[in-house]
Amino acid sequence: MHFKKCSKVIAVGLLFSLSALKIISAQQTSEPPDHQKDSTTQTELPEKPDYGLPQSFPEIHGFFHFDAHFEQGEPANYEAEHAVLGISSKLGANGRLTLEVYTEEEEQNIGWLQTFGRWKFNQALNVNFGLFLLPFGTQDHNYYCPLRLLNYRSWALERIIPTGWHEMGFKIDGTLPFNNNRLTYDIALTNGVATNTWTGHLHAESEDNNSNKRLTSRLNYYFGRDWNTGVSYSPGKYDDKSKFNLDLFGVHLQKKSKPFFSLSGELPMVSPLDRLEMECGYTQTQIEDVQGHWKRQAWYLEGGFIIPVPGFHEEIHWLTPLMRYQEIDPNDEVANNQDQRELTLGLKFDISESFIFRLEHNWITEKHDDSIRNNAWVIGVTFAF
């Protein structure tokens, strides 16, 4: 336990130390690092020149998230909830290597989040190999706290599929023109899941020996101004006898109105719709195990409206009133207090390009007993660099 606590202290120390180092190195170049790209629209900014030389210090990025949770009838809970530290460096003209470590309150340890190489042949074909976040729904973006609207991920991305679902394997992706808009695709072939990886409580006869590889695919369609919709599918056998099934399906609709982590980008304000940020989605898992066939499912709708703060630069400082409604059914064959719904109202304040403050109130009720409530206030602070 002392080692776990020390590990978290070390991780936090690394985040702040390396952020200071990045600020010093940033003074030596006026070009923005690669991670200051709009990860939602995948718009690429010019690369820094002279890679491999001292002036092209590898990109360092990360964040630290702290929150205070005040649940009805429970003592206050203060947590260093989530931290990620990553290094990404260009390899030659078309290659890139990314290394990320993470820690979460639930796991109480430090581990590899992503360690993968990427080679870009052209706009339509990129090859990735190593350990990476799976391309399913929006989970590979929403895993990062600075990129999401609320403090916590939706149930559809946290309890129906594994939190921060990452696997070892091989992935190809690319962008294709389509009707004056564009399509993006991801196809990943990864190791099979293990018994305790999932919150689905599988009852397999033995551990997966990785003979059952999992194929995960996602197709996104980008249209209009900052809109995208997509479908994800991930079928796979489980257990060394290939006896059990885990089939995942998801759809999503998303609108992002500003370039995250952009210090120089402008926030377009052509119409009120340009200030809208929203996301909705549905995820289900079809499970076949010794208990038979059953299904886990959840859906959510969340959104916010950007309000620039008077006296500040619009591209950096803004307030965003937030709302989310979601429902979950962990087992469609059983009606119990795990069938829940939640309404969240909150406020997000982007104080600067590095600091985000969130205040939220959650109303959680069990579908079959409205008298049971788990209301809570959540205060979250995110430091990103």
Side-chain angles (χ1 to χ4, degrees):
M1 181 63 68
H2 292 293
F3 172 74
K4 295 176 181 177
K5 292 182 178 179
C6 290
S7 297
K8 296 181 72 175
V9 173
I10 292 172
V12 173
L14 282 172
L15 290 177
F16 283 96
S17 299
L18 288 174
S19 65
L21 180 60
K22 181 180 179 182
I23 293 173
I24 295 174
S25 64
Q27 295 174 352
Q28 301 175 359
T29 176
S30 61
E31 299 248 358
D34 293 338
H35 80 286
Q36 292 180 352
K37 302 174 183 177
D38 183 356
S39 62
T40 303
T41 62
Q42 299 183 356
T43 300
E44 295 189 359
L45 300 178
E47 298 280 18
K48 292 185 296 185
D50 301 326
Y51 279 93
L53 299 178
Q55 59 265 35
S56 61
F57 192 82
E59 170 198 336
I60 299 176
H61 61 269
F63 68 87
F64 171 75
H65 179 73
F66 169 86
D67 67 41
H69 195 91
F70 305 92
E71 185 173 342
Q72 180 178 340
E74 300 290 337
N77 187 22
Y78 304 96
E79 295 179 337
E81 180 68 26
H82 193 194
V84 168
L85 175 65
I87 297 177
S88 182
S89 183
K90 188 177 177 65
L91 301 175
N94 300 313
R96 177 163 294 279
L97 179 65
T98 298
L99 306 174
E100 289 183 334
V101 295
Y102 76 110
T103 181
E104 286 200 67
E105 179 65 26
E106 295 177 355
E107 299 190 12
Q108 294 283 331
N109 61 10
I110 297 175
W112 288 110
L113 175 64
Q114 297 194 103
T115 58
F116 69 94
R118 177 179 177 86
W119 189 266
K120 179 178 180 179
F121 288 94
N122 51 50
Q123 194 72 14
L125 179 61
N126 304 283
V127 177
N128 308 267
F129 48 90
L131 176 69
F132 48 81
L133 289 164
L134 265 291
F136 191 93
T138 61
Q139 78 99 19
D140 49 341
H141 297 298
N142 276 326
Y143 179 78
Y144 298 94
C145 190
L147 299 183
R148 55 180 183 256
L149 288 175
L150 294 139
N151 282 302
Y152 299 118
R153 294 175 285 273
S154 67
W155 291 336
L157 300 177
E158 190 171 61
R159 293 168 59 179
I160 302 300
I161 63 175
T163 299
W165 185 16
H166 56 171
E167 298 281 358
M168 184 73 72
F170 173 85
K171 179 171 79 82
I172 61 173
D173 62 74
T175 301
L176 305 171
F178 182 78
N179 286 345
N180 297 322
N181 294 299
R182 60 190 174 96
L183 289 171
T184 65
Y185 72 92
D186 302 84
I187 302 174
L189 183 65
T190 59
N191 287 333
V193 297
T195 303
N196 296 321
T197 302
W198 295 77
T199 56
H201 305 296
L202 300 177
H203 300 277
E205 295 180 354
S206 61
E207 291 282 347
D208 192 334
N209 64 0
N210 279 330
S211 63
N212 306 309
K213 304 305 178 185
R214 173 166 288 272
L215 185 66
T216 302
S217 59
R218 177 178 62 192
L219 184 65
N220 270 330
Y221 176 53
Y222 290 84
F223 61 96
R225 191 182 183 95
D226 305 318
W227 288 88
N228 82 87
T229 184
V231 59
S232 306
Y233 185 53
S234 179
K237 293 286 187 179
Y238 174 77
D239 184 73
D240 58 7
K241 298 180 181 180
S242 298
K243 185 177 180 179
F244 305 129
N245 286 328
L246 270 174
D247 294 341
L248 287 88
F249 171 77
V251 293
H252 70 272
L253 174 66
Q254 185 183 53
K255 183 183 186 299
K256 294 292 187 182
S257 291
K258 60 180 179 293
F260 291 99
F261 291 118
S262 175
L263 307 186
S264 58
E266 296 182 357
L267 184 63
M269 293 294 175
V270 178
S271 69
L273 185 61
D274 291 326
R275 299 189 182 190
L276 173 68
E277 290 193 276
M278 64 85 62
E279 182 175 320
C280 60
Y282 169 80
T283 303
Q284 76 169 30
T285 305
Q286 294 278 359
I287 300 174
E288 178 183 4
D289 62 11
V290 294
Q291 292 184 338
H293 296 265
W294 49 293
K295 181 170 62 178
R296 299 164 55 81
Q297 57 188 347
W299 69 272
Y300 66 100
L301 171 63
E302 63 186 34
F305 190 79
I306 299 170
I307 303 175
V309 179
F312 289 91
H313 298 292
E314 290 186 353
E315 68 270 19
I316 296 179
H317 305 273
W318 52 80
L319 286 169
T320 308
L322 303 167
M323 184 217 63
R324 176 166 67 195
Y325 180 81
Q326 60 181 341
E327 294 189 2
I328 186 170
D329 182 358
N331 189 333
D332 65 335
E333 300 292 330
V334 178
N336 55 29
N337 62 2
Q338 296 301 309
D339 301 338
Q340 297 178 344
R341 51 178 171 249
E342 179 194 65
L343 174 64
T344 299
L345 298 178
L347 184 68
K348 181 164 75 81
F349 182 27
D350 292 73
I351 301 173
S352 72
E353 65 272 13
S354 299
F355 291 94
I356 303 172
F357 174 83
R358 296 179 179 92
L359 174 64
E360 304 164 10
H361 187 63
N362 307 320
W363 292 268
I364 302 177
T365 60
E366 282 73 18
K367 292 182 182 179
H368 308 291
D369 188 352
D370 288 338
S371 65
I372 302 176
R373 292 182 174 273
N374 299 294
N375 301 342
W377 285 96
V378 181
I379 299 174
V381 177
T382 302
F383 169 72
F385 58 91

